[in-house]
Amino acid sequence: MRILRLLLFVFLFPVFSPVSLQAHEGMWLPHLLQQLEGRMRETGMRMSAEDIYSVNNTSLKDAVLHFGGGCTGSVISKEGLVLTNHHCGYGQIQAHSTVERHLLRDGFWAGTKADELPNPGLTVTFIRRIEDVTDIALAGVTADMSEAERQSTIDRNLNDHAPSVRREADEDIFFRPIYYGNQYLLFVTLTYRDVRLVGTPPESIGKFGADTDNWVWPRHTGDFSLFRIYAGPDNRPADYSPDNRPYDPVHHLPVSLGGVKEGDFTLVYGFPGRTQQYLPASAVAMTLESVNPPRIAIRDTALHILDRAMRADEKTRLQYASKYARIANAWKKWIGENQGLTQTRAVWKKKSLEAEFRERVESDPRYHSLLEELDSIVATVTPYEVAAQYHNEIILRTVEIFTPARWLQTLAARYAENGEKGYADYLPRVRSALAGFYKDYRPDLDKEVFVALMQLYAQEGDPRLAHPIIFQSFAGDGAVQMASTLYSGTLADAARTLALLDLSPEALTNAVQADPVIGLYEQLQSHYKREVGQPLARWQDEMDQRMRRYMAAQMEAFPDQPYYPDANGTLRVTFGQVEGYQPEGRPRYECQTWLSGVIEKYVPGDYEFDVPARLRELEERKDYGPYGEGDRMPVCFIGSNHTTGGNSGSPAMDADGHLIGLNFDRVWEGTMSDLNFDPSICRNIMVDARYILFIIDKFAGARHIVDEMTLVNTRR
Ligand code: ARG
Ligand code: GLU
């Protein structure tokens, strides 16, 4: 009897906590935090919701910014100093690097404001205000409308509303659906356009451990860089000018010297990009079983070939370092995602939830067959989703020779559509893109990747959906033969390709039409669009409509659960605690790493694990200044905050809103939090604020930058 009850309990437990929303799951909308204030205080917070987000008063949100559109940053001095990740500022740091002045390798610290380096095109955006505009957006929308009618009604409503939104002349607005279009939000934003590089550690600190340690805990990376916002005379946004002045912020985050202890409250404030928490079990199973395996296998194949070449030749290593990092980042994330989904039985958990959902809505005709419909759409789209992976991964992302093909094809199309003028306008872009491409291109290496991936495509691709030429011409030796033709042609040769740009538009058009690589690319693209892309988009529409209803249905069926919208690149708050974890089959991981661990990983001369001499000396002398903890120097720590891509560079704050860390990654198995957050293994990784201060002050001797900040120490 007892065993039976126990079994019942074990079986029913997940059903009784339906959305299984645990301690620290959630990417919360900052303007709705009142509802969570109690829970946040129970977790240790000493602030109010109003301290975090307020329209009328200064709040933490005024120090948080969208950095360059894809990352997050925060203001950490009264002179507009911005903290973000090294990997977020990477493009700018690289752009300023030359052989004589190698910022990536040596680091950079502006001695005075005059030394700070401008970055054309780089912007930072603050959120001024968020408002719920659901009633306005959905006015006149009825249940029996077609999707197209519904969308055009909403678009019209929001367009009509836009001019009446209260804002300053230099502020922008945009609208975003949340909960699959059940609700709509308005964002009023302010974007600064003069953002200068102030400081960065060398790669051997900022990218320490590189791809081997990426997504991995224990971690020892000082992944930070510093920028400064400049403003016009009125402190408002202005184009770059030497006369601009450092931005005087509404709020800047004090930086804590107090450090972190297991169990401490943490709040991460930033711009998470995309999550899908509310999908049915069948869709999660599709990602786990059908979508992730082929894309992992494709990237695996390419990475092996690139790795061998990069290890054999230093020039190749430099040429391919950033391409390799890009391919490896998502590859590794998907592997971890699958491990985590399996280990936490995410699909099973979702299924038990759905059983409960079915019971609750059984008698409701609106939702009655909803899950069956969703499951059947998922079953239908699965082969299309898989076919999309093969095409996108191989043709669009990994085989490089299709990149110049795309540029030249577009140039010829501009000429066909807009004549001489269209051609002339577009030509400079193509010229600089191609020059950049060929600088880091090794055709022999790309040929090897091409052969391996096309063979894989011919072997594993779906003959019903992929172009027949894949199976006819690229199986086995076919790929080798095709490659020797294609890679002895124009596009494999930088000089010959760039020479095309000196031809007349007609002659270029003729060359484009005759080129075998461009011909192959066009065939594959148009076949893909017709056979896979278009049906997939139609099914995606069907899926979205039902997800909108399923989302609403979940909220009705489980009304006691707190809900948060999926990440969509808008400002969110996540909170949690400093917290270690127990990976499967390994000893428990502590929540903090130390500089001694950097030294343990040190491999002299290695491109991932070299350590600067100065840093080794400081560790040897235990010369940590005021930043160490006893006889150790903290480096990184982990917490149970729910984050995703886009949260890179997000400030991590303590119970009082002081900066204690800088978010930059998640632990490997925890990357499944994009589909199903599980508090047992989902952890975010942060650089300890004390390590950042130590590197600036003790390692780089840039004490003047630390002096700008407001340092606090509440622990002592
Ligand atoms: N995994 C982190 C993110 O998704 C860091 C990526 C940059 N580092 C790298 N080795 N690729 O952005
Ligand atoms: N590195 C990621 C980024 O660039 C953050 C890590 C994550 O995905 O959580 O946003």
Side-chain angles (χ1 to χ4, degrees):
M1 193 57 205
R2 263 189 65 175
I3 288 186
L4 189 70
R5 214 184 296 148
L6 200 72
L7 273 177
L8 254 170
F9 178 74
V10 169
F11 182 72
L12 287 177
F13 181 70
V15 176
F16 278 142
S17 56
V19 180
S20 74
L21 199 82
Q22 309 266 348
H24 305 314
E25 172 173 359
M27 300 177 166
W28 307 100
L29 289 165
H31 66 297
L32 298 177
L33 284 181
Q34 284 79 6
Q35 306 159 11
L36 281 165
E37 208 182 85
R39 271 180 60 202
M40 294 172 87
R41 283 183 186 276
E42 277 163 34
T43 314
M45 185 177 78
R46 289 186 286 265
M47 295 176 285
S48 69
E50 182 80 3
D51 292 331
I52 300 170
Y53 173 93
S54 170
V55 177
N56 300 316
N57 299 305
T58 300
S59 61
L60 294 184
K61 89 154 178 14
D62 300 316
V64 183
L65 49 91
H66 212 174
F67 184 89
C71 279
T72 305
S74 60
V75 183
I76 58 164
S77 91
K78 55 188 179 313
E79 294 178 275
L81 189 64
V82 168
L83 177 67
T84 188
N85 288 145
H86 182 270
H87 80 261
C88 294
Y90 196 86
Q92 284 76 29
I93 302 167
Q94 184 171 43
H96 290 298
S97 290
T98 59
V99 178
E100 301 81 51
R101 203 175 176 216
H102 202 321
L103 271 47
L104 280 173
R105 186 189 59 211
D106 304 332
F108 168 75
W109 309 94
T112 67
K113 296 204 173 63
D115 301 325
E116 297 174 359
L117 303 172
N119 302 286
L122 179 63
T123 60
V124 300
T125 297
F126 292 96
I127 302 298
R128 308 287 291 171
R129 195 166 86 240
I130 308 172
E131 270 172 34
D132 190 321
V133 289
T134 306
D135 291 344
I136 295 165
L138 299 183
V141 169
T142 57
D144 54 358
M145 275 182 167
S146 74
E147 269 311 288
E149 273 178 285
R150 182 182 199 272
Q151 198 51 54
S152 68
T153 308
I154 294 171
D155 291 345
R156 194 168 356 96
N157 287 343
L158 293 178
N159 271 334
D160 291 348
H161 180 59
S164 66
V165 172
R166 175 173 53 82
R167 58 166 165 142
E168 302 294 326
D170 54 1
E171 292 175 342
D172 297 309
I173 62 166
F174 64 87
F175 300 101
R176 276 291 154 81
I178 52 170
Y179 297 121
Y180 291 90
N182 283 295
Q183 294 177 25
Y184 279 80
L185 296 178
L186 158 74
F187 295 83
V188 180
T189 64
L190 184 62
T191 297
Y192 283 83
R193 309 185 289 277
D194 183 355
V195 183
R196 305 186 196 166
L197 179 64
V198 175
T200 172
E203 269 188 300
S204 50
I205 291 172
K207 206 184 165 182
F208 182 72
D211 294 304
T212 300
D213 268 10
N214 192 22
W215 302 113
V216 164
W217 184 255
R219 188 66 154 277
H220 299 85
T221 313
D223 193 344
F224 79 93
S225 60
L226 296 164
F227 288 78
R228 190 186 309 282
I229 307 169
Y230 281 80
D234 49 0
N235 202 36
R236 301 297 288 191
D239 287 333
Y240 169 81
S241 155
D243 301 333
N244 285 345
R245 298 188 317 211
Y247 165 65
D248 177 9
V250 182
H251 180 61
H252 69 274
L253 302 177
V255 181
S256 172
L257 284 167
V260 294
K261 290 274 175 293
E262 180 122 29
D264 280 359
F265 174 85
T266 52
L267 183 150
V268 174
Y269 213 156
F271 293 83
R274 178 173 150 87
T275 58
Q276 297 172 285
Q277 302 293 331
Y278 301 100
L279 292 176
S282 56
V284 176
M286 174 178 79
T287 299
L288 172 68
E289 290 157 15
S290 307
V291 172
N292 278 349
R295 60 186 183 184
I296 291 167
I298 292 165
R299 291 195 178 203
D300 206 37
T301 305
L303 288 169
H304 266 106
I305 296 169
L306 296 182
D307 181 65
R308 203 175 344 102
M310 287 166 69
R311 285 187 189 278
D313 176 49
E314 177 62 12
K315 180 162 180 235
T316 307
R317 189 186 77 71
L318 290 173
Q319 287 180 313
Y320 278 76
S322 123
K323 291 185 252 192
Y324 186 93
R326 181 193 65 77
I327 300 172
N329 193 39
W331 163 79
K332 204 164 174 183
K333 188 197 139 173
W334 295 324
I335 295 174
E337 185 168 86
N338 269 16
Q339 282 173 8
L341 289 171
T342 309
Q343 188 182 322
T344 59
R345 302 199 299 160
V347 174
W348 180 86
K349 279 197 220 153
K350 286 228 169 211
K351 284 217 168 100
S352 9
L353 237 166
E354 286 169 13
E356 172 72 7
F357 172 82
R358 283 194 165 89
E359 258 172 51
R360 294 195 184 197
V361 303
E362 208 165 24
S363 55
D364 189 330
R366 289 174 305 160
Y367 304 139
H368 180 61
S369 60
L370 194 51
L371 273 169
E372 284 71 14
E373 287 171 35
L374 278 166
D375 289 350
S376 118
I377 294 174
V378 169
T380 310
V381 299
T382 298
Y384 293 92
E385 288 281 5
V386 173
Q389 295 306 321
Y390 279 97
H391 183 79
N392 293 337
E393 285 294 320
I394 296 175
I395 309 302
L396 300 188
R397 297 203 186 114
T398 315
V399 171
E400 294 178 81
I401 203 164
F402 294 131
T403 304
R406 215 167 9 248
W407 282 107
L408 292 171
Q409 188 198 39
T410 314
L411 181 59
R414 289 286 159 110
Y415 177 57
E417 285 157 27
N418 307 321
E420 301 269 353
K421 168 122 176 48
Y423 185 89
D425 286 349
Y426 199 60
L427 187 61
R429 272 185 66 187
V430 178
R431 197 183 290 282
S432 88
L434 291 184
F437 172 81
Y438 284 108
K439 180 167 91 50
D440 292 332
Y441 182 54
R442 259 190 60 183
D444 58 325
L445 185 55
D446 185 39
K447 185 176 169 184
E448 222 185 304
V449 172
F450 175 91
V451 168
L453 291 189
M454 293 307 259
Q455 286 173 336
L456 183 73
Y457 202 166
Q459 201 175 329
E460 305 289 335
D462 185 341
R464 293 167 305 174
L465 294 173
H467 198 298
I469 194 175
I470 299 288
F471 308 97
Q472 287 154 11
S473 307
F474 291 97
D477 276 350
V480 182
Q481 281 157 27
M482 289 295 286
S484 59
T485 314
L486 296 173
Y487 284 82
S488 58
T490 307
L491 296 200
D493 187 303
R496 283 170 65 192
T497 305
L498 289 168
L500 294 179
L501 302 180
D502 299 329
L503 299 175
S504 70
E506 287 86 30
L508 177 120
T509 305
N510 292 337
V512 163
Q513 277 162 3
D515 187 87
V517 175
I518 301 178
L520 174 65
Y521 177 73
E522 277 179 358
Q523 277 184 56
L524 294 173
Q525 268 292 81
S526 60
H527 183 274
Y528 172 80
K529 278 189 188 141
R530 194 177 58 243
E531 300 297 324
V532 181
Q534 286 161 9
L536 198 55
R538 277 199 302 277
W539 285 114
Q540 195 56 54
D541 265 7
E542 296 280 327
M543 183 85 185
D544 289 348
Q545 276 172 47
R546 283 167 184 81
M547 277 307 296
R548 188 171 71 234
R549 282 162 58 207
Y550 183 43
M551 189 69 238
Q554 290 181 66
M555 291 168 125
E556 283 177 39
F558 306 116
D560 300 336
Q561 289 299 325
Y563 286 89
Y564 60 94
D566 275 326
N568 60 355
T570 58
L571 185 62
R572 302 297 175 87
V573 169
T574 94
F575 68 97
Q577 280 163 303
V578 177
E579 205 173 333
Y581 82 117
Q582 176 79 57
E584 204 173 53
R586 267 175 279 158
R588 187 183 151 78
Y589 280 145
E590 299 306 323
C591 57
Q592 178 100 54
T593 58
W594 309 93
L595 190 51
S596 54
V598 174
I599 307 301
E600 279 164 32
K601 286 180 175 174
Y602 170 44
V603 181
D606 185 75
Y607 79 88
E608 298 191 296
F609 291 102
D610 201 10
V611 177
R614 169 96 186 128
L615 192 60
R616 283 182 272 127
E617 281 159 31
L618 289 168
E619 168 62 11
E620 193 154 342
R621 295 202 306 268
K622 301 200 178 299
D623 183 1
Y624 308 139
Y627 312 113
E629 185 175 313
D631 61 353
R632 294 192 292 182
M633 182 65 225
V635 175
C636 293
F637 66 96
I638 50 176
S640 50
N641 304 285
H642 190 179
T643 56
T644 189
N647 272 124
S648 275
S650 298
M653 291 172 257
D654 67 9
D656 301 302
H658 303 149
L659 188 99
I660 48 173
L662 173 64
N663 188 76
F664 72 104
D665 212 359
R666 277 174 289 169
V667 305
W668 204 353
E669 310 89 316
T671 58
M672 44 83 91
S673 65
D674 290 350
L675 296 166
N676 192 232
F677 186 91
D678 189 303
S680 68
I681 55 170
C682 292
R683 296 289 179 276
N684 64 318
I685 308 181
M686 295 155 277
V687 192
D688 195 304
R690 295 168 294 179
Y691 191 55
I692 295 172
L693 297 171
F694 164 79
I695 293 296
I696 300 172
D697 181 356
K698 299 295 293 184
F699 172 80
R703 179 59 195 254
H704 60 287
I705 298 176
V706 172
D707 286 341
E708 259 188 58
M709 304 176 197
T710 306
L711 300 186
V712 294
N713 193 344
T714 37
R715 191 177 294 278
R716 270 167 236 174

